[in-house]
Amino acid sequence: NSPVKSKQTINMLRSMPEQTLEMMARLIKIPESQIPIYIAMMKGEDNEFITKISTVDGKLHPGDVILMTGIHENSKKLVSVQKPFYSNAKSSHVAVIVSDAICVDAVPNLGVSHRLISEVLAEAENDWRIIRFKDITEEKFDSIHQRCAYYLSQPYRIFPSNKPAKTFSYCSELARKIYKDSGITGTGIPNIPIIKPCDFDRLADKNPNWIDVTEDMRNYVELCFEFEALFKIQAKLAIDGLKLNYSRFEERMRMISKINKMVRQKKLT
């Protein structure tokens, strides 16, 4: 959980014999054909995985929204019951990109969690879409990271609320409050008591501020499936980093609150 420890871990991995790294790869179920790539990754050497990721056209951005229909019967029913609200409803689930191949979403039993895009789309029909709010700037990426981390582990619950829920989430409500709490305006995301996946379908179909980037992202998503085991390793490091950054953000906010309180009490000038 510190740059020093991270550097020590990297140096330790790079000094390991290939035989040891090969055994580790098998323990964490790296596909046989990708073990040489894993070993090169651990040693900080050029490899096929890094080359393909760095050269593929199109990259996912924090805040990109994935719209999908689940493969289970309940998902099909959810799409059907949304038709009276939007006749072109297609989606039963919404997820938000946090970083690279990592999403955040809210699902029954699991609640809010980070998952790989390949894990999310493995449960979806093939007509998934990825949409992007075109006015997001890179300055907002850190805010999106922080809000995604803030809501982690919230239980899944659907309950009417116009305001961001502080004690529960469901998929489309989570996406809305990530945008709202990140200070991103002009999205057209409706402020209604129950926000539905079809409300994001409507944005995708009719709001010019949202663009469909599905085809641009398709090659990248295919790589997410091809190298899922390797992405899991990268994701673990990225998620740990996001959590660490958020804990530091919380610590700073607590300190600012404490200082402000002392000023109000005239204990500090």
Side-chain angles (χ1 to χ4, degrees):
N1 289 336
S2 73
V4 173
K5 286 184 179 178
S6 295
K7 190 173 182 179
Q8 289 173 345
T9 301
I10 290 169
N11 289 336
M12 179 191 70
L13 288 169
R14 289 183 177 177
S15 65
M16 281 185 176
E18 287 193 10
Q19 204 170 16
T20 303
L21 290 172
E22 184 177 335
M23 182 177 66
M24 288 172 58
R26 289 196 167 90
L27 284 173
I28 58 176
K29 298 182 179 179
I30 300 293
E32 194 72 24
S33 62
Q34 295 177 10
I35 288 177
I37 301 174
Y38 170 83
I39 292 171
M41 280 178 62
M42 294 302 101
K43 288 187 170 292
E45 299 169 353
D46 291 339
N47 58 80
E48 181 186 356
F49 174 64
I50 298 300
T51 300
K52 283 190 173 182
I53 295 303
S54 61
T55 57
V56 70
D57 291 331
K59 295 288 196 305
L60 294 162
H61 291 178
D64 286 352
V65 176
I66 307 173
L67 305 175
M68 70 202 82
T69 305
I71 57 177
H72 304 294
E73 188 60 32
N74 285 343
S75 299
K76 310 296 188 297
K77 290 179 181 177
L78 179 55
V79 172
S80 295
V81 300
Q82 294 179 91
K83 293 289 186 180
F85 301 98
Y86 181 50
S87 59
N88 289 327
K90 299 175 183 175
S91 302
S92 64
H93 188 58
V94 175
V96 178
I97 295 295
V98 182
S99 176
D100 297 326
I102 306 169
C103 310
V104 66
D105 66 350
V107 295
N109 302 319
L110 190 59
V112 179
S113 68
H114 284 126
R115 294 198 289 165
L116 292 180
I117 187 171
S118 54
E119 294 172 324
V120 173
L121 292 180
E123 302 169 359
E125 298 287 356
N126 290 328
D127 58 351
W128 50 268
R129 295 187 287 175
I130 300 176
I131 59 173
R132 176 176 295 165
F133 183 58
K134 67 180 185 180
D135 292 333
I136 285 186
T137 60
E138 289 190 19
E139 288 74 21
K140 289 295 183 184
F141 287 176
D142 280 345
S143 297
I144 292 171
H145 292 158
Q146 289 168 4
R147 300 326 294 170
C148 289
Y150 178 80
Y151 291 113
L152 281 178
S153 300
Q154 272 194 341
Y156 181 91
R157 184 184 176 198
I158 299 177
F159 191 80
S161 176
N162 290 89
K163 297 180 179 179
K166 295 182 179 180
T167 58
F168 65 88
S169 289
Y170 55 94
C171 68
S172 40
E173 192 271 342
L174 175 64
R176 176 174 66 180
K177 65 189 174 190
I178 286 171
Y179 267 83
K180 186 171 183 178
D181 290 354
S182 296
I184 300 167
T185 58
T187 63
I189 299 174
N191 189 34
I192 52 180
I194 296 286
I195 182 163
K196 303 165 290 299
C198 73
D199 293 315
F200 285 88
D201 285 332
R202 184 185 283 109
L203 291 174
D205 296 338
K206 297 188 174 183
N207 191 312
N209 290 325
W210 289 84
I211 55 177
D212 189 324
V213 296
T214 307
E215 291 310 312
D216 293 334
M217 298 299 111
R218 196 171 294 280
N219 287 341
Y220 186 85
V221 171
E222 287 175 359
L223 288 178
C224 291
F225 278 95
E226 180 183 353
F227 294 109
E228 183 177 47
L230 298 178
F231 267 113
K232 281 182 180 178
I233 297 166
Q234 281 200 339
K236 173 73 167 61
L237 297 173
I239 289 168
D240 286 348
L242 292 170
K243 289 178 179 177
L244 178 60
N245 286 340
Y246 181 70
S247 80
R248 287 172 175 167
F249 169 77
E250 277 193 317
E251 188 177 337
R252 287 196 296 271
M253 295 305 293
R254 283 194 296 268
M255 182 61 68
I256 290 169
S257 177
K258 186 176 180 180
I259 290 170
N260 288 339
K261 184 177 180 180
M262 291 174 71
V263 169
R264 288 195 302 271
Q265 294 173 344
K266 298 182 179 180
K267 295 179 180 179
L268 187 69
T269 58

